[in-house]
């Protein structure tokens, strides 16, 4: 789960929905081992319509099978080593579909595996496969399925070294760097190997009073990849803010990413996203939320290739209810996406998609 303001508010009744079971604790030595994870299933229904400029229209409606929704489990270890220092480590496995199975529970892979050392005053230094500091820049992300906030920053990466400083009240600063990697964060081979990746982020949480808070975040990431015709690079910038008043939070994210020289030297792809969210806690167990996003993806091509552009408007409405506080919740979400496709600034087609999801998540 993302540790954004929205995720925290949505899970306020349980303090942290990503709870854990302590399976070993020794207070004298400062050792603690936790079993972490959650079981996640969903049922999804999709309806698609594509209209070409020549008048041809295609429609498709699918009621999908009940399937895995990124279930995971793992272990978290902390060990006090004296003088305020502690060692930490985490391993997390996730399940996904990797065959013809409709239920997507057939393949287990290591999603996170890292270790490091930390200090309350000096911060944490970790190395491995991890969710990085850039993940916390997004302030519109929601902890269920149809969140519109996948984002443009690199928020998780393999074989990276990260330092996060938390010594100033309310302020978190972090940087990370990773070298060559053949695989991506999902543990699958990349089409083009990563040459290197780095990023930095700053998150400031200001408590106005007992009933109000403001969060500001900014970050940037840069990746370089190897391809047969030469390297290409991808650079992203983001700004996020969230304001909470009582049981209501309003969030805004602005992001931009540029990819240069991918597939052909001189190609430049520009992606822009504007995302907003409104979340309200109706009761201690019941939350309602809505999101809107505008996304644009434009390719400025070279040579004989065509320029292309896609504009998307997305809307999402959802609600979640904790059947058993801390451990079990159900949710229902509905999303609408309308897109327009252009070639050399001429509209070629438009499409719309409606998606409904009913899901259940059990935390331990």
């Amino acid at each position: 789960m993302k540790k954004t303001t929205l995720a925290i508010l949505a899970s306020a009744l349980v303090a942290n929905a990503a709870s854990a079971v302590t399976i070993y604790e020794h207070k004298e030595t400062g050792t603690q081992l936790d079993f972490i994870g959650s079981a996640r299933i969903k049922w999804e229904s999709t309806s698609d319509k594509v209209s070409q400029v020549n008048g041809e229209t295609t429609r498709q409606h699918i009621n999908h099978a009940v399937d895995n929704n990124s279930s995971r489990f793992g272990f978290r270890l902390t060990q006090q080593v004296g003088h305020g220092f502690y060692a930490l480590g985490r391993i997390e496995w996730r399940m996904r579909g990797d065959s013809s199975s409709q239920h997507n529970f057939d393949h287990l892979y290591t999603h996170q595996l890292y270790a490091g050392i930390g200090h309350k005053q000096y911060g944490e230094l970790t190395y491995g496969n991890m969710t990085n500091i850039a993940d916390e820049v997004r302030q519109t992300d929601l902890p269920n399925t149809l969140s519109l906030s996948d984002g443009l920053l690199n928020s998780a990466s393999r074989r990276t070294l990260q330092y996060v400083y938390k010594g100033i009240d309310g302020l978190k600063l972090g940087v990370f760097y990773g070298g060559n990697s053949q695989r991506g964060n999902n543990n699958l081979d990349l089409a083009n190997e990563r040459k290197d990746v780095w990023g930095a982020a700053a998150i400031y949480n200001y408590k106005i009073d007992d009933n109000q808070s403001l969060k500001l975040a900014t970050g940037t990431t840069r990746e370089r990849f190897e391809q047969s015709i030469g390297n290409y690079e991808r650079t992203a910038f983001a700004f996020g803010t969230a304001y909470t008043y009582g049981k209501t939070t309003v969030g805004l994210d602005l992001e931009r990413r540029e990819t240069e020289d991918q597939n052909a030297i001189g190609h430049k792809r520009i992606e822009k996203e504007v995302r907003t969210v409104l979340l309200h806690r109706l009761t201690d167990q019941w939350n309602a939320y809505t999101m809107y996003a505008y996304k644009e993806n434009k390719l400025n091509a070279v040579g004989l290739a065509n320029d292309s552009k896609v504009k998307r408007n997305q809307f999402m409405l959802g609600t979640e209810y904790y059947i058993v506080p801390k451990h079990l919740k159900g949710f229902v979400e509905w999303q609408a996406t309308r897109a327009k496709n252009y070639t050399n600034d001429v509209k070629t087609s438009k499409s719309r998609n409606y998606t409904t999801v009913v899901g259940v998540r059990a935390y331990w």
Side-chain angles (χ1 to χ4, degrees), residues 28 31 81 145 166 197 237 314 318 320:
E28 292 183 2
T31 305
V81 294
T145 300
K166 308 176 186 177
V197 60
F237 305 90
Q314 295 182 292
E320 63 179 0

Short mmCIF file of all heavy atoms in Angstrom, two decimals, residues 28 31 81 145 166 197 237 314 318 320:
data_model
loop_
_atom_site.label_atom_id
_atom_site.label_comp_id
_atom_site.label_asym_id
_atom_site.label_seq_id
_atom_site.Cartn_x
_atom_site.Cartn_y
_atom_site.Cartn_z
N GLU A 28 14.96 -7.55 25.14
CA GLU A 28 16.31 -7.33 25.67
C GLU A 28 17.32 -7.12 24.55
O GLU A 28 18.23 -6.30 24.65
CB GLU A 28 16.73 -8.52 26.54
CG GLU A 28 15.93 -8.62 27.84
CD GLU A 28 16.42 -9.75 28.72
OE1 GLU A 28 17.40 -10.42 28.33
OE2 GLU A 28 15.83 -9.97 29.79
N THR A 31 15.10 -7.32 19.09
CA THR A 31 14.82 -8.05 17.86
C THR A 31 13.32 -8.20 17.67
O THR A 31 12.61 -8.57 18.61
CB THR A 31 15.46 -9.45 17.89
OG1 THR A 31 16.85 -9.33 18.14
CG2 THR A 31 15.24 -10.18 16.57
N VAL A 81 20.89 -2.20 17.34
CA VAL A 81 22.32 -2.51 17.42
C VAL A 81 23.06 -1.56 18.37
O VAL A 81 24.29 -1.63 18.46
CB VAL A 81 22.96 -2.47 16.02
CG1 VAL A 81 22.39 -3.57 15.15
CG2 VAL A 81 22.77 -1.11 15.36
N THR A 145 -8.20 -0.69 -6.27
CA THR A 145 -7.83 -1.20 -7.59
C THR A 145 -7.83 -0.15 -8.70
O THR A 145 -6.90 -0.08 -9.50
CB THR A 145 -8.78 -2.35 -7.98
OG1 THR A 145 -8.67 -3.38 -7.01
CG2 THR A 145 -8.43 -2.90 -9.35
N LYS A 166 15.01 11.86 8.02
CA LYS A 166 13.78 12.28 8.69
C LYS A 166 14.06 13.09 9.95
O LYS A 166 13.23 13.17 10.85
CB LYS A 166 12.95 11.05 9.08
CG LYS A 166 12.68 10.07 7.95
CD LYS A 166 11.95 8.84 8.46
CE LYS A 166 11.80 7.79 7.40
NZ LYS A 166 11.14 6.56 7.93
N VAL A 197 19.56 4.35 -12.95
CA VAL A 197 18.38 5.09 -12.52
C VAL A 197 18.75 5.87 -11.27
O VAL A 197 19.56 5.43 -10.44
CB VAL A 197 17.20 4.12 -12.22
CG1 VAL A 197 17.56 3.13 -11.12
CG2 VAL A 197 15.94 4.90 -11.84
N PHE A 237 9.19 14.61 -13.67
CA PHE A 237 9.08 15.58 -12.58
C PHE A 237 7.65 15.53 -12.04
O PHE A 237 6.70 15.33 -12.80
CB PHE A 237 9.39 16.99 -13.07
CG PHE A 237 10.71 17.14 -13.76
CD1 PHE A 237 10.82 16.97 -15.13
CD2 PHE A 237 11.85 17.45 -13.03
CE1 PHE A 237 12.03 17.10 -15.78
CE2 PHE A 237 13.07 17.58 -13.67
CZ PHE A 237 13.16 17.42 -15.04
N GLN A 314 -10.35 10.81 -17.40
CA GLN A 314 -10.77 9.68 -16.58
C GLN A 314 -11.51 10.16 -15.33
O GLN A 314 -11.15 11.18 -14.73
CB GLN A 314 -9.56 8.85 -16.15
CG GLN A 314 -8.84 8.16 -17.30
CD GLN A 314 -7.67 7.33 -16.81
OE1 GLN A 314 -6.67 7.86 -16.33
NE2 GLN A 314 -7.79 6.01 -16.92
N GLY A 318 -15.79 5.59 -5.92
CA GLY A 318 -15.66 4.36 -5.15
C GLY A 318 -16.03 4.52 -3.69
O GLY A 318 -16.16 5.63 -3.17
N GLU A 320 -15.44 2.11 0.21
CA GLU A 320 -14.90 0.94 0.88
C GLU A 320 -15.45 0.87 2.30
O GLU A 320 -15.73 1.90 2.92
CB GLU A 320 -13.37 0.97 0.91
CG GLU A 320 -12.79 2.14 1.69
CD GLU A 320 -11.27 2.13 1.73
OE1 GLU A 320 -10.65 1.22 1.15
OE2 GLU A 320 -10.70 3.05 2.34
#
